[in-house]
Amino acid sequence: MRIFNRLESEVRGYIRSFPTIFTKAQNAVLTDESGQEYIDFLAGAGSLNYGHNNPVIKKALMDYLATDGVVHGLDMATTAKKKFLHTFEDRILKPRKMQYKLQFTGPTGTNAVEAAIKLARNVTKRQNVISFTNGFHGVSLGSLSLTGNRKYREASGVTLSNVHHAPYAGYFGPDVDTIAMLDKLIADPSSGVDHPAAVIVESVQGEGGLNVAGLNWLKKLEKLCRRHDILLIVDDIQAGCGRTGTFFSFEPAGISPDIITLSKSLSGYGLPFSMVLLKPEFDIWKPGQHNGTFRGNNMAFVTAVAALDHYWSDSKFQASIEKKSQTMTTYLDKLVKNYPAAEMTRRGRGLMQGLAFKDPELADRITTLAFQNGLIIETSGGNSEVIKFLVPLTIEPEKLLAGLDILEQAMADTVNQLSATDAEPVEVTV
């Protein structure tokens, strides 16, 4: 690891949690240079919903490259883009009776968020945007202004402005109506909250600690936006593409966002790809007004088409996600019950679940030990107090259980070690 320590910036993160050199990967398993295998419950921070080196998707990419298909084309028309547009409309939009224009932005999720808030401000001619506590939308400056976590905000180097952070669903507990609070702030001309251009929300907050917005809460939020003539943006970058069970995380709520941001697993293969879905009436961009050299990754168009055709042409894949989600829920509830000393609760929805610990240090100890025993899993939340499960949606059932067993063993060892430490007699000197 010396070359990484010597040459790579101190900003590196995951390499510190998982200090080994990985060399190959297949579906839910990563292998390092020594041949050690690790079950992957991180999945590229949610960018590998279809697993590592998915054979169906890989074949489509290799076939495309073998024909000298266009790799880089700015935003020119290519056969790869044409096929993606047709496929996304046929597999995703039409079955859901959704009508959106597609804007291809720079390669990562934050690029999509930047485009979304810029568009909302241009449409409404207002500057203020409502974001939520514990929200995470990226670390470029516009997106960072929407992000709640102090660790990321402190690195900005400038004042982050034109955003009001409202309390998310359940922020003050289950009995406090945070939508009513927000409604009052927007309606009151003396609240100090400028009339917003948009509200941006994650239906499940990934980085923020797997906080879940209830379906009724999301419906009330949409009504609030309609009542006050505010655009509703749903950031589905981590929670989308099937992660919570349906392709879009907000589908069960029956809402119709004005703008949707997608990235992460959109390409299906871990290739950079971000996109903004916007209702046609809001497509007021002038040609080239928001651009980027790497908007529209043709290789990602190809792999995305393969993923959509293979996994979203019928309901079988969604049913498999539901079954694995139930397995995970049952297992995590068992851990909560069997290890009361850990003082934890289950959070999340679909295959975006986790365990929130009262003591963040305990979460860190468990994930560290789990890695030593062959499981890659991370923490999230404002204090890194939540162990977050982002398994590939294609993970084999037996591999899912094997990973959960590794986590349970790490939990048992950690809790037992703490209990033994607490039980040690204290030597008193007279």
Side-chain angles (χ1 to χ4, degrees):
M1 301 292 288
R2 287 194 298 270
I3 187 67
F4 301 98
N5 294 330
R6 184 166 61 86
L7 288 183
E8 192 174 4
S9 166
E10 292 300 316
V11 79
R12 63 193 186 279
Y14 287 110
I15 192 174
R16 301 178 191 275
S17 299
F18 313 116
T20 190
I21 301 176
F22 298 103
T23 184
K24 58 184 290 187
Q26 176 60 51
N27 201 17
V29 175
L30 278 161
T31 306
D32 69 12
E33 286 186 334
S34 70
Q36 171 71 41
E37 291 187 346
Y38 300 84
I39 299 175
D40 186 5
F41 274 22
L42 177 59
S47 62
L48 294 165
N49 283 2
Y50 310 101
H52 294 272
N53 286 301
N54 184 293
V56 172
I57 304 175
K58 178 168 66 175
K59 184 179 186 305
L61 177 59
M62 294 176 70
D63 289 348
Y64 181 75
L65 292 174
T67 64
D68 288 334
V70 175
V71 171
H72 185 278
L74 296 169
D75 68 350
M76 293 184 286
T78 64
T79 54
K81 184 193 286 188
K82 180 176 73 172
K83 192 168 184 180
F84 173 78
L85 289 168
H86 280 299
T87 304
F88 193 82
E89 182 178 42
D90 292 341
R91 300 296 189 204
I92 304 301
L93 296 182
K94 284 184 176 178
R96 293 161 180 79
K97 296 180 173 57
M98 299 170 74
Q99 291 188 339
Y100 288 92
K101 299 285 286 294
L102 277 58
Q103 178 185 354
F104 303 114
T105 65
T108 70
T110 194
N111 301 128
V113 172
E114 294 280 358
I117 59 174
K118 183 192 290 186
L119 179 62
R121 285 166 170 157
N122 276 276
V123 167
T124 63
K125 308 303 181 187
R126 305 180 209 128
Q127 297 181 10
N128 191 32
V129 175
I130 301 293
S131 185
F132 290 97
T133 51
N134 290 306
F136 180 86
H137 301 283
V139 294
S140 54
L141 285 180
S143 303
L144 186 57
S145 67
L146 306 167
T147 293
N149 193 298
R150 184 182 301 162
K151 175 181 73 172
Y152 300 112
R153 294 176 64 84
E154 286 179 341
S156 66
V158 298
T159 300
L160 301 171
S161 58
N162 296 319
V163 172
H164 174 79
H165 292 269
Y168 190 70
Y171 186 75
F172 294 114
D175 298 326
V176 177
D177 187 346
T178 55
I179 296 295
M181 294 175 64
L182 179 57
D183 192 20
K184 176 68 173 176
L185 287 170
I186 293 172
D188 184 355
S190 295
S191 69
V193 176
D194 294 332
H195 193 178
V199 170
I200 186 167
V201 67
E202 303 158 274
S203 63
V204 181
Q205 295 181 325
E207 181 66 28
L210 298 175
N211 308 301
V212 177
L215 303 185
N216 286 333
W217 190 90
L218 289 171
K219 291 177 182 178
K220 290 169 66 177
L221 179 62
E222 182 186 43
K223 289 179 180 177
L224 177 148
C225 289
R226 301 293 172 250
R227 186 162 57 249
H228 294 288
D229 188 29
I230 301 168
L231 298 187
L232 176 60
I233 305 171
V234 172
D235 181 343
D236 233 12
I237 288 169
Q238 187 166 121
C241 297
R243 174 55 56 183
T244 62
T246 49
F247 187 84
F248 296 107
S249 67
F250 56 83
E251 285 183 54
I255 63 173
S256 179
D258 298 300
I259 301 173
I260 305 163
T261 59
L262 290 174
S263 186
K264 294 270 186 197
S265 282
L266 182 59
S267 77
Y269 202 68
L271 296 174
F273 187 11
S274 288
M275 184 169 71
V276 174
L277 277 65
L278 53 147
K279 289 188 174 178
E281 61 266 33
F282 302 130
D283 188 17
I284 65 168
W285 292 116
K286 296 176 183 177
Q289 195 172 32
H290 186 91
N291 59 34
T293 304
F294 297 102
R295 64 194 184 279
N297 182 342
N298 281 269
M299 292 188 294
F301 288 143
V302 171
T303 55
V305 166
L308 293 172
D309 278 340
H310 188 75
Y311 292 103
W312 297 98
S313 59
D314 55 36
S315 62
K316 293 179 182 177
F317 183 58
Q318 188 169 318
S320 73
I321 297 172
E322 174 61 26
K323 188 173 182 179
K324 292 171 189 175
S325 299
Q326 292 174 356
T327 298
M328 181 175 287
T329 298
T330 300
Y331 202 108
L332 297 187
D333 284 343
K334 180 193 74 172
L335 294 181
V336 171
K337 179 181 178 181
N338 291 350
Y339 297 91
E343 297 184 276
M344 55 183 171
T345 56
R346 180 178 59 81
R347 289 184 185 174
R349 179 157 64 88
L351 283 176
M352 192 174 181
Q353 296 189 52
L355 294 168
F357 290 77
K358 183 178 180 181
D359 180 3
E361 185 179 345
L362 193 56
D364 180 67
R365 289 188 184 186
I366 291 170
T367 54
T368 299
L369 184 56
F371 173 70
Q372 294 171 9
N373 294 335
L375 178 69
I376 297 171
I377 191 167
E378 70 168 339
T379 58
S380 69
N383 296 301
S384 299
E385 76 280 10
V386 180
I387 296 180
K388 181 170 66 173
F389 297 74
L390 290 177
V391 303
L393 308 183
T394 54
I395 191 171
E396 301 88 349
E398 61 275 13
K399 196 68 71 177
L400 173 61
L401 288 172
L404 290 169
D405 285 345
I406 292 174
L407 184 87
E408 179 174 15
Q409 186 59 58
M411 184 177 296
D413 292 344
T414 302
V415 171
N416 289 339
Q417 184 180 24
L418 288 175
S419 298
T421 301
D422 292 341
E424 288 179 0
V426 178
E427 182 176 344
V428 178
T429 303
V430 179

